[in-house]
Amino acid sequence: MSFSLHPRLDADTFLLGDLPLCRALLMNDSRFPWLVLVPRRADIREIHQLPETDQFQLLREITQVSAAMETAFSAEKMNVAALGNMVPQLHIHIIARFEADEAWPGPIWGVGQTIPYADETDPAVMRFKTLMSNVGGQ
């Protein structure tokens, strides 16, 4: 079976591009710099289900994206999470956090109202596309 993106992730994000293992997505909520990495492997729910080489590559991509976001947004803290309670497909949230954000210091889920980007040509979305084009030597 080939990789396909879960419909909920597809509906809630903008495609930024592909890293060697993961599809990089921007969560459509402009309140938080919030990316999602989805390993392009079929029927994977958990990190431990990936082959060992993919596990190492996933960690490499999480690290690269986290470092790029921390620098680009001068983040005070980077949150990295793989919950999957609502969407069973393995996906990793990478969120730049700030003491001034509306959810600080708690998790961002379920806090306030989502503020979507205008569309995929929104300057903020384009900034993320540029950021991702420079991650991992793409």
Side-chain angles (χ1 to χ4, degrees):
M1 185 171 180
S2 65
F3 168 80
S4 63
L5 189 62
H6 188 279
R8 175 118 186 228
L9 289 173
D10 191 40
D12 292 347
T13 63
F14 291 102
L15 174 64
L16 298 177
D18 286 335
L19 296 168
L21 175 64
C22 293
R23 176 138 308 150
L25 307 167
L26 173 63
M27 188 60 74
N28 191 10
D29 187 346
S30 66
R31 298 173 302 153
F32 306 102
W34 182 357
L35 299 185
V36 177
L37 298 182
V38 183
R40 292 186 318 279
R41 300 293 185 258
D43 299 324
I44 299 290
R45 295 176 67 109
E46 307 293 344
I47 294 170
H48 68 266
Q49 294 172 337
L50 290 168
E52 190 174 83
T53 55
D54 284 352
Q55 291 176 30
F56 292 137
Q57 183 62 34
L58 177 61
L59 180 58
R60 183 175 298 115
E61 292 177 15
I62 291 168
T63 301
Q64 291 171 337
V65 170
S66 295
M69 287 179 65
E70 180 180 52
T71 299
F73 296 99
S74 300
E76 295 169 22
K77 176 71 176 103
M78 293 303 301
N79 287 180
V80 176
L83 303 176
N85 297 339
M86 299 292 290
V87 174
Q89 182 174 41
L90 176 59
H91 61 288
I92 315 303
H93 299 269
I94 303 174
I95 309 151
R97 297 296 305 275
F98 307 90
E99 287 187 25
D101 75 44
E102 70 180 278
W104 186 269
I108 62 172
W109 289 275
V111 173
Q113 290 292 100
T114 298
I115 301 173
Y117 295 100
D119 58 30
E120 67 275 351
T121 64
D122 185 302
V125 174
M126 298 308 292
R127 180 179 182 194
F128 279 101
K129 287 183 179 184
T130 300
L131 174 79
M132 287 308 301
S133 70
N134 295 317
V135 169
Q138 287 188 37

